[in-house]
Structures are given as structure tokens and as C-alpha cells.
Amino acid sequence: RYAYSITSGYHTSTAGTIEVEFLKDKTNVSTTGRTTYQNASGANNWNIHPAFYYDGDSTTGTQLSGFWVAKYEMSMETNGIATTTSSSTIGNVATSSTTKAVSKPGVTAWNNIAFKNAFNNCLIYDSNNLNSANLDSHLIKNTEYGAVAYLSHSKYGRNGTKISNNANVTQNGYTGGASGATAHTNVLQSTTGNCYGIFDMSGGYWAMVAGLLQSAVSTHLGNVDTKYYDVYTGYNSSIYGDAMYETSATNTNDYAWYQDVSYGFNLSGVGATGPIYERDGGHNGDRAGIFAFFGYDGLIQTTTFRITLWCN
């Protein structure tokens, strides 16, 4: 749980500086004693990151002391055996007691799955893997993705150094950057530059996140608790903490920080993108990165996903 301030590079394509102050437990008191926050997008504003509360604002919403993030993009196991989702027949699983999403290095990321099925597989992760630990497993929200990106960019992560891309030159979408990889194989691809960080957040497969236009909620999610996704009316400055508007110049195929691609929710018609956000860029793109974003239609593609758990 932390508060942040973008002290340079705000709403530009030039990578700037993000300051971070950790907060005590579920309070809004930082470790430096700060208690006043703007909680609005803007240069030099101090904001409690919105990934750490829901069902309201930073004072009335449900507060989280933190959250756990899957170390790697998810892969599939069937009856405990790693399964390559090379087609929609294999990958597009709604939910199954024998098919599980796991976070492991050196295997092909789960793809060829529609957004709704990925979302539902994330919701049942608790019961499939954690013996009903009640940690509210869910598809990573766009704001949660942003919280990881900001912490990685700060002095507590890479300190302004771009994460190396998971290039996957063989196009097999290997988690951790290579077949048989371990946490020690490609450490410069992690959010901390060592084996303790989060991998596959720059390159690999594009990764869907739970951030979508209001008009797409009923089609792609149905009647799901709103705490599990972020709603957008478009790319605009009213949203903060998600590593999009604050860390890019525009959303019309311009550039985000580190020259990452920024292109999403372009509703003008020609070249319009889908109503769901995907992040981090693909293996074959020269503009992949932790600040990359794009619009996605929610249908079956070589797009993967990641699970998070809440610390209540």
C-alpha cells in the first residue's frame, strides 16, 4: 500500500520520475508522516494509489493493505500437467476442476482464450489452488497493473530503468523469457531487476486486464461485482494510477514512457480498437513495455492474463 507523485514527465512521452511513500497498514498515513493527498491526476500531486481501495474513494472505500500479483503470466495445467494452449479448442476454457491457471516460469503462457473465460478462471483460482483461502482472486485490474508499473519505475524497483523485453523470438510465449526459464534466468526482465520481481510485464504476449468501457460490461462480464474491474468512458485525465494518461502523450498511436505504444479506446471509427484494455506489448513489437496499452475486443486471440489476490 503506497502513495505516489509524478514529479516529472507527467502526460508526456518522456519517462519521468515517480516518488513513492509507503502507507501504514490500511491507513492513509505515510511512513514519512504525510496525511494530505490530492487524489487526482496531475503533476506533483500526491495520491493514494487507487489499487489499494475499492467501493468508494480513499476514505470511504474498502481499504487494502496490499495485494499479491502472479509472478508470471498465467499458464494452463490439466490434471497437473503443463498444457500448451495452441488453439481455441484447448485454450478457451470457461472453468474446469481439472484445468487450472498457474504462475510458473519457462512454459507457454495461456492464450487463445476469450476475455470472459479468462476473467472467470481468475475468479475461481482461490478454490482451485488455495483451498478456499478467500483472497478474492481476480483478473488483474488496470489500476493494479498501474500500481506495479509505478512501483517498478520508482527507486524501490528499477529506479527509472526500462525493463528488458521478454522477446520470445520463437513466438512460443514462454513465461520468464525462455523455455525452461527460472526466476534466475532473465532477471533484467523483472520489475526489480532481480529474481524477486514480477516477470512478463514488458513483451511476451499482450496481457488483458480488467479495465473496460462501461458499454462493454454487460456483454463481456454480465452481472459481476464492480470491485473486480475498472470502468472507463475513454482515455482521459480523470483516471489516475493506471499508467496510461499520466505516462503517455496521447492515445492515438503516439508514445508512452520509454517509447512504449499508447493506443486504446480510439472510438473514431477507422482503426478503432476494442473496448477492453490490454497491456505490456507483444513479443514482436519494438514498442513493448510496462507502460504500453492497447484496445482489445475481448475475443479469442494470442492474448494472455494475470491473477491478483487481495490482502484484506
Side-chain angles (χ1 to χ4, degrees), residues 13-36:
S13 58
T14 302
T17 303
I18 299 177
E19 302 292 339
V20 164
E21 293 182 358
F22 292 102
L23 304 176
K24 299 176 181 178
D25 301 316
K26 296 182 181 180
T27 74
N28 294 341
V29 180
S30 81
T31 49
T32 67
R34 184 186 305 277
T35 58
T36 302

Side-chain angles (χ1 to χ4, degrees), residues 101-169:
V102 296
S103 176
K104 294 183 178 181
V107 292
T108 302
W110 188 341
N111 63 100
N112 282 307
I113 183 171
F115 173 79
K116 185 174 183 178
N117 286 342
F119 188 92
N120 288 335
N121 273 281
C122 294
L123 289 180
I124 67 165
Y125 180 83
D126 273 4
S127 57
N128 263 359
N129 296 274
L130 300 173
N131 298 317
S132 298
N134 195 29
L135 295 176
D136 264 329
S137 62
H138 57 281
L139 174 66
I140 189 168
K141 297 166 65 175
N142 204 28
T143 46
E144 290 171 336
Y145 180 97
V148 176
Y150 285 5
L151 190 62
S152 175
H153 186 78
S154 78
K155 65 181 181 182
Y156 300 105
R158 301 302 297 272
N159 197 23
T161 300
K162 180 177 173 62
I163 298 172
S164 296
N165 282 353
N166 178 346
N168 280 313
V169 292

Side-chain angles (χ1 to χ4, degrees), residues 248-303:
S248 65
T250 72
N251 78 323
T252 55
N253 210 22
D254 205 318
Y255 288 99
W257 286 9
Y258 298 123
Q259 305 299 290
D260 296 351
V261 64
S262 59
Y263 192 47
F265 293 172
N266 177 5
L267 306 179
S268 60
V270 178
T273 57
I276 300 169
Y277 275 123
E278 57 182 357
R279 305 302 302 263
D280 71 44
H283 65 275
N284 58 351
D286 60 353
R287 292 171 60 185
I290 199 168
F291 292 103
F293 60 92
F294 206 84
Y296 157 65
D297 59 15
L299 304 180
I300 300 168
Q301 295 183 20
T302 51
T303 304

Side-chain angles (χ1 to χ4, degrees), residues 49-116:
H49 199 285
F52 300 109
Y53 58 86
Y54 57 85
D55 294 339
D57 60 27
S58 61
T59 56
T60 64
T62 301
Q63 307 298 309
L64 300 171
S65 59
F67 58 90
W68 296 95
V69 181
K71 192 175 183 73
Y72 304 94
E73 291 176 334
M74 310 315 295
S75 54
M76 178 197 281
E77 285 188 354
T78 306
N79 293 318
I81 299 173
T83 305
T84 300
T85 54
S86 54
S87 69
S88 59
T89 303
I90 303 172
N92 194 34
V93 176
T95 56
S96 167
S97 60
T98 59
T99 301
K100 298 181 179 181
V102 296
S103 176
K104 294 183 178 181
V107 292
T108 302
W110 188 341
N111 63 100
N112 282 307
I113 183 171
F115 173 79
K116 185 174 183 178

